[in-house]
Amino acid sequence: MSKTESLTNWQLFFLLIQSQVGFSILVLPNILQSTSKGDSWISVLLAGVAIQLFFVILWLLFRKFPNLTYTEITLFLLGKHLGSLVNIVIYLYFIVSAALILLQFTSVIKEYLLMVTPYWVIGLLMLLTCTYLAISDIRIIARFFGIISLLFLCLFGISFFSFLLPLEIHHILPIGSSGIKGIFLGSKDSLLALLGFEVILFLYPLAEKKGTSFLKVITWANVFVTLLTAYFVFICIMIFSEPVLKQIKYPVFYFLRPLHFQMVERLDILFISIWIVPLGASLVIYLYLCSKSLTFFKGKPHKLVVISSALVFSLFTFAKKDPESLKLYVSYLEYFSYTVIFALPCIFLLFPFITKKPEKEEIN
């Protein structure tokens, strides 16, 4: 593969962070109050450590099959028929994930910006925009993600205004008060907020630099997303008390609401408007992954993206939009992700030792 056809380290970095930063960060401070409470920021850091350990497992798998994507590995190890069946399950996972992202996106827009606009109109406009980008080459997507990553500087800048509000240090003290069990339960809930890293399952063959260089890139991306998530969780804990956080649906938006300036009346609306872009980026990458999941599909990849978008919109249209249903969908996706993203790669890593299947070792 020529260098013009491969992904640079920076492109890999931006692809990964844009894939991981999404809706879950907005509600995570509220969710963690039922488990780790004032130690929620510790739970996020532990979740980041757990994902880093899993990155090492994925990296070991990549080194065994350096030129194969996730779904090609399934065919190589499981055979054509069983491998194709597993790939259909993987494809459905990406479809369901994209539909849930679209549901979450429309719920935020409906509640904060376009209260009288029908759900289907908001969802359709967002899906059409993301589909247009998802049919592009992955290198074009990576360049776009690199440009919009500058918006994180804006988000950080806006969040610094929160230090004008009263911050209560006793909300996080004493550290460890929720107990080891509560912290670990909170880290389990935090894992879902950090999902999106599964994009690397399809990027290793495209990487310009493989081996330890690839591991370093995904490690720094994981560090960035983990610290970003822990930062916003920490701010919310410092500003709001535990009873208040349990009642606020989107604490990351709400802590900016009391701030008013002459030029900007509502900082929270500005923050939401910027955060829409990372939400859209997550949807783009899941639609792209759909096009890479069905290896037996004979048509052009962009046709599969369009078909996948139609399936996503169908699920979105028929799904219930109330908060309780959304929580139920999130819990279902969590268990689905344990199988597709965590369990299968571990099985594939051990598969050659169990079946004596020959490996495609990386040539350095």
Side-chain angles (χ1 to χ4, degrees), residues 274-322:
I274 297 175
W275 201 282
I276 287 174
V277 181
L279 284 174
S282 299
L283 183 56
V284 168
I285 203 62
Y286 276 109
L287 290 175
Y288 172 81
L289 294 178
C290 287
S291 69
K292 301 299 178 182
S293 300
L294 298 183
T295 52
F296 56 82
F297 184 78
K298 301 303 180 182
K300 294 183 178 181
H302 72 269
K303 292 183 178 180
L304 188 54
V305 172
V306 175
I307 295 172
S308 301
S309 297
L311 290 175
V312 168
F313 187 71
S314 299
L315 287 177
F316 163 78
T317 303
F318 292 107
K320 294 181 179 179
K321 311 298 190 298
D322 60 281

Side-chain angles (χ1 to χ4, degrees), residues 302-356:
H302 72 269
K303 292 183 178 180
L304 188 54
V305 172
V306 175
I307 295 172
S308 301
S309 297
L311 290 175
V312 168
F313 187 71
S314 299
L315 287 177
F316 163 78
T317 303
F318 292 107
K320 294 181 179 179
K321 311 298 190 298
D322 60 281
E324 292 301 319
S325 296
L326 283 175
K327 290 182 180 179
L328 187 62
Y329 299 150
V330 169
S331 64
Y332 288 156
L333 181 63
E334 181 179 2
Y335 292 113
F336 202 178
S337 67
Y338 290 152
T339 301
V340 174
I341 304 305
F342 293 99
L344 284 179
C346 293
I347 294 173
F348 292 156
L349 181 62
L350 299 174
F351 199 84
F353 299 101
I354 299 173
T355 63
K356 305 301 180 182

